[in-house]
Amino acid sequence: MKSPVFILLVIWSCAVCPSKPSQRGTAAQTNNTESSCQGQPLDLVFVIDSSRSVRPDDYERVKSFIKDVLLFLNVGHRQTRVGLVQFGSVVQNEFFLNSYFEKQHMLRAVERMEHLASGTMTGLALQFMREEAFSLARGARPVHMRVPRVAMVVTDGRPQDSVEEEAARARQDGIEVFAVGVGRVDMATLRAIGSQPYSEHVHLVANFSQIQTLVSVFRSKLCAGSDPCASGNHDCEHECVNTDDSFMCRCRKGFTLASDGKTCGLDCKRGSVDLIFVINGSKHLGITSFDLLKQFVSRMVSALPAGTRVGLLQYSTKVRSEFTLGQYSSASEIQQAIAAVRYMGRGSKIGSALHYLIQNSFRNSSRTVQRVAIVFTDGRSQDNVHKWASKVKADGIILYAVGVGETAEEELKFIASEPQQKHAYYTEDFSKMEQIADKLKTRIHSCEDQLSVSHQCKCGKMMLFHNKTTEALSRISQKYILYPTDSSLTLTPVLNVRHIYLSRSSDTPFMELC
């Protein structure tokens, strides 16, 4: 028989020993840790494409994306409410805004979702979202409470019904719509779905594996508090200034705010710029990468200095002028024209594009402005690039070369103007193009390549002399076979004022003259 003292000791030791926390307590701690979103409460509805074109493993990736977004939201009856709708040939509601107010219940509901694997009735889904998912009966809060209504539409293809009218009605009802496209999505459809500005509300990723990269993007958008400058959700290149309703960007002294209201460029006082984008429309690029390239060009346009005239060429087996210098006067008009460009999808002849560039694109340009072309390529050209790149640069046109993927490095460098380290850029894929955009904007804004009018006139005359002399020497060489056996030998015509050195191996001394 145990003594009373022993029994008391056992009871006391059990009372003071630490107990294992309950699963409910652990879940609550996890929920508190994950709910780091400090933004204002939202009424948020996911509208998910569940068509047959979405493969089963990709469908699981979409579910993981939804769960990762849920993890950072501050969910609750008085906080952010969440609804979820998926669509195929029919619309299927998974849960309404007033179905769950605890995150764990929502996560389990997402996990239980089953793939519909049918058609793509996107317009019907938008109608259901507007009429049902955001109705007061289904948990949407009244307008007077000023709780933002936000929809996130994820799709991977072209809808089988009309989306424009229903998307417009949703925006008119005050719903802020984010459109997320995956793969070969029609960009016009995405823009029809998403709210403006498109740069903030329309997102495109190459495949479902990359959709996870948007989690951090939406975290910054959905968690912005009352101080957008402090939250960092402003994208101002220099300074952010809070206003009563939102914020505004401001540039440091010596810089001018670009038309996108965010980026800053050096004050260029010495003349305007005529800029031609030469984009690759070859089948090797692919429609998805082509759409990403158009987005990249569109973002570049929004950051160009005031007064810049823009044109666009697309090359494949043939060359097509999409629009010419001065055809559009505003950045928004240019961006609409870029969005309407159709993919050619054939061969790749950069030489033909450069030939067209020098013969036609700058025909109405004044020699008093800086003439610039940005050439995009993702592979080797099927024609002679060296001949026409040389002619373009000899005519005083500044060439920037941007290579993506399997680009031939030597070809890229030959296209670019000197110095090559400032005019040739390369990246492995389109996901890193933003870094190149920043460098290009800085270069174009810097005025470093601009020449004064008088200097350009002098240099133009020297360039004409250089071209005619080179042609004459070439004819003499061919007629009399005067090729020197010594590779270091140079032919040196003499001017009254100074010498111009014309070398078979390099024309750098001549270029330094200009």
Side-chain angles (χ1 to χ4, degrees):
M1 181 178 178
K2 303 293 184 182
S3 67
V5 175
F6 175 79
I7 296 173
L8 287 173
L9 285 173
V10 171
I11 295 173
W12 176 82
S13 62
C14 290
V16 298
C17 65
S19 61
K20 183 178 179 180
S22 67
Q23 291 183 352
R24 182 173 181 178
T26 304
Q29 291 174 0
T30 303
N31 191 55
N32 291 336
T33 302
E34 291 162 349
S35 300
S36 57
C37 194
Q38 299 301 317
Q40 66 182 117
L42 307 172
D43 284 346
L44 171 65
V45 175
F46 291 94
V47 182
I48 305 302
D49 187 341
S50 187
S51 60
R52 66 174 61 92
S53 60
V54 181
R55 296 179 300 181
D57 54 340
D58 290 334
Y59 183 73
E60 293 301 318
R61 290 187 178 98
V62 175
K63 289 167 62 174
S64 296
F65 168 73
I66 297 171
K67 288 188 286 187
D68 286 346
V69 173
L70 286 174
L71 285 176
F72 67 69
L73 292 175
N74 192 8
V75 171
H77 183 270
R78 297 181 180 275
Q79 299 299 324
T80 293
R81 299 182 182 181
V82 181
L84 175 58
V85 174
Q86 64 171 328
F87 65 93
S89 298
V90 297
V91 180
Q92 178 170 303
N93 179 70
E94 297 298 329
F95 53 87
F96 287 113
L97 292 169
N98 57 359
S99 296
Y100 305 117
F101 297 115
E102 292 185 15
K103 190 177 301 185
Q104 296 301 324
H105 294 162
M106 293 180 183
L107 294 171
R108 284 195 289 268
V110 173
E111 190 59 41
R112 290 194 300 267
M113 284 174 58
E114 293 185 0
H115 192 191
L116 299 178
S118 54
T120 314
M121 301 298 286
T122 313
L124 186 64
L126 293 174
Q127 180 182 0
F128 181 90
M129 173 197 78
R130 180 178 60 86
E131 294 180 352
E132 290 292 330
F134 280 108
S135 67
L136 297 181
R138 301 300 189 181
R141 281 163 279 197
V143 175
H144 72 267
M145 293 184 66
R146 298 181 179 275
V147 176
R149 297 181 177 182
V150 180
M152 191 182 301
V153 182
V154 181
T155 180
D156 83 323
R158 299 174 185 272
Q160 296 173 334
D161 58 355
S162 176
V163 301
E164 288 82 359
E165 186 175 346
E166 284 302 331
R169 287 177 177 174
R171 292 191 294 269
Q172 289 170 5
D173 285 357
I175 302 171
E176 182 181 8
V177 184
F178 291 95
V180 178
V182 184
R184 298 186 176 185
V185 183
D186 178 27
M187 281 302 297
T189 299
L190 281 185
R191 287 173 176 264
I193 295 173
S195 299
Q196 292 189 9
Y198 298 132
S199 59
E200 298 289 335
H201 294 88
V202 177
H203 301 273
L204 179 65
V205 293
N207 51 59
F208 282 95
S209 298
Q210 295 182 9
I211 196 171
Q212 211 64 22
T213 62
L214 296 178
V215 173
S216 60
V217 174
F218 283 109
R219 183 186 184 103
S220 64
K221 293 180 184 297
L222 301 179
C223 294
S226 58
D227 185 353
C229 290
S231 69
N233 186 30
H234 52 75
D235 292 331
C236 293
E237 186 173 8
H238 284 184
E239 299 173 2
C240 176
V241 180
N242 286 318
T243 62
D244 291 338
D245 299 324
S246 182
F247 69 92
M248 62 178 290
C249 297
R250 184 171 61 192
C251 297
R252 295 189 292 270
K253 185 177 181 180
F255 292 80
T256 301
L257 191 65
S259 58
D260 64 349
K262 296 180 180 181
T263 55
C264 300
L266 284 169
D267 290 326
C268 287
K269 304 296 185 182
R270 290 180 285 173
S272 300
V273 178
D274 281 353
L275 172 61
I276 301 290
F277 290 98
V278 184
I279 63 173
N280 182 5
S282 69
K283 62 182 178 182
H284 181 263
L285 187 69
I287 184 64
T288 299
S289 295
F290 184 74
D291 285 336
L292 291 172
L293 178 56
K294 289 201 301 180
Q295 289 183 51
F296 173 84
V297 173
S298 185
R299 288 193 293 271
M300 283 286 298
V301 167
S302 67
L304 291 174
T308 302
R309 298 197 305 170
V310 177
L312 179 65
L313 295 182
Q314 181 185 176
Y315 70 89
S316 180
T317 303
K318 297 181 179 180
V319 183
R320 186 168 71 205
S321 176
E322 302 294 351
F323 54 88
T324 59
L325 292 170
Q327 184 173 343
Y328 301 109
S329 57
S330 69
S332 60
E333 289 177 334
I334 295 171
Q335 289 172 324
Q336 288 176 6
I338 293 170
V341 170
R342 294 189 175 183
Y343 176 50
M344 295 173 73
R346 300 183 68 184
S348 179
K349 293 189 175 182
I350 305 174
S352 298
L354 295 173
H355 182 194
Y356 187 97
L357 180 77
I358 192 173
Q359 295 290 334
N360 301 283
S361 298
F362 291 105
R363 184 173 293 176
N364 66 344
S365 285
S366 168
R367 290 282 177 166
T368 62
V369 303
Q370 182 183 193
R371 294 175 300 154
V372 180
I374 302 178
V375 182
F376 297 87
T377 175
D378 78 329
R380 296 179 182 273
S381 178
Q382 297 171 341
D383 60 358
N384 189 338
V385 176
H386 292 62
K387 174 184 176 181
W388 292 107
S390 299
K391 287 182 178 291
V392 170
K393 290 182 283 189
D395 196 50
I397 298 169
I398 299 165
L399 281 179
Y400 290 89
V402 180
V404 183
E406 300 176 0
T407 303
E409 183 179 359
E410 66 277 6
E411 185 175 273
L412 190 70
K413 290 182 177 179
F414 195 88
I415 293 173
S417 295
E418 295 288 345
Q420 292 174 351
Q421 65 269 24
K422 293 185 178 180
H423 294 87
Y425 300 94
Y426 171 77
T427 180
E428 294 179 357
D429 55 64
F430 281 92
S431 64
K432 300 177 182 177
M433 289 286 279
E434 287 302 323
Q435 299 173 4
I436 292 178
D438 293 338
K439 293 178 182 177
L440 284 173
K441 286 185 287 186
T442 301
R443 294 292 303 156
I444 294 173
H445 287 182
S446 69
C447 313
E448 193 172 305
D449 289 319
Q450 293 189 30
L451 301 171
S452 65
V453 175
S454 61
H455 195 175
Q456 284 190 6
C457 292
K458 292 176 183 177
C459 196
K461 293 177 181 178
M462 298 299 291
M463 191 69 73
L464 179 63
F465 173 82
H466 166 60
N467 292 340
K468 289 186 177 296
T469 305
T470 302
E471 292 172 4
L473 289 173
S474 177
R475 288 195 298 270
I476 292 171
S477 297
Q478 293 173 4
K479 184 175 182 179
Y480 296 105
I481 318 178
L482 296 179
Y483 289 105
T485 56
D486 183 359
S487 62
S488 64
L489 182 63
T490 59
L491 301 173
T492 314
V494 181
L495 289 178
N496 291 333
V497 180
R498 64 196 302 178
H499 293 77
I500 303 176
Y501 298 94
L502 303 178
S503 169
R504 288 176 59 197
S505 60
S506 173
D507 61 354
T508 302
F510 173 80
M511 293 305 293
E512 288 177 351
L513 177 67
C514 292

